Amino acid sequence: MEKRAYELFAKRNREITLRAIPGHFVTKHSHVSHCIDLTKVKSQMSTAKAAARLFAETFRYTAPVDTIISLERMKMVGAFLASELSMSGLNLHQDIAVISPEITDDKMILRDNFLPYVKGKNVLLLTATATTGLTVKSAVEGVRYYGGDAVGAATVFGADLTQVDVPVARLFGVEDIPGYASYPIAECPLCRAGIKVDALVNSYGYSKIQKS
């Protein structure tokens, strides 16, 4: 499967890359035509810092931020983003918190010790991918439920999320990958065509399925 993989570079900074693997993949919310491997952004210091710098350019002068909620194992990027935002602009010298709340059945759960970082605070959401918009939309609803103000969302790879009512910053778009498609699970044309699933995909990575 990895032999099909190819690398893409962010238009605004070639230090930031992702790997795209064409095939048939199952995510939590959909079936997709490509596996998007963001291991480097999540795990490598220089790449994570470069991504954070670009996100900060979007929100530095547009949104006050008290807390960054990091989803999908993006906490390294979140820490660098907090640092970048605190260097200038609306968040100069702000001691920005970075938290990773629990997600159960697509709902965000804040334990009592995390509640003070959201209630009455300006919250920026950070995620790795946002192609259907369901994760971001649910997180926005969660922030508001717990009394916070969702001021924006940042994602490394995503669709044009017009259904999300906060500003969204993307480093890569689905339009950057020719042929990329996401299908509702019950309507997947790849399944209907009898094309077997290559791998299961979540925020930790992908697990290949052995084919008979």
Side-chain angles (χ1 to χ4, degrees), residues 51-52 54-60 62-71 74 77-86 91 96-101 108 117-118 121-127 136 139-140 143 148-155 166-169:
L54 289 187
F55 287 139
E57 289 177 6
T58 298
F59 294 105
R60 193 184 306 278
T62 60
V65 177
D66 300 303
T67 298
I68 296 170
I69 287 184
S70 167
L71 305 172
M74 288 285 286
V77 178
F80 283 127
L81 177 55
S83 177
E84 288 287 337
L85 287 173
S86 70
N91 303 286
I96 300 171
V98 182
I99 64 173
S100 295
M108 186 173 72
Y117 294 107
V118 174
K121 303 296 185 180
N122 297 311
V123 180
L124 178 64
L125 300 166
L126 174 65
T127 187
V136 174
V140 169
V143 168
D149 183 16
V151 297
T155 185
V166 298
V168 178

Side-chain angles (χ1 to χ4, degrees), residues 98-129:
V98 182
I99 64 173
S100 295
E102 297 171 58
I103 304 294
T104 302
D105 295 329
D106 289 336
K107 301 297 182 184
M108 186 173 72
I109 299 174
L110 278 184
R111 301 296 178 180
D112 292 353
N113 51 306
F114 277 153
L115 188 58
Y117 294 107
V118 174
K119 188 175 182 179
K121 303 296 185 180
N122 297 311
V123 180
L124 178 64
L125 300 166
L126 174 65
T127 187
T129 61

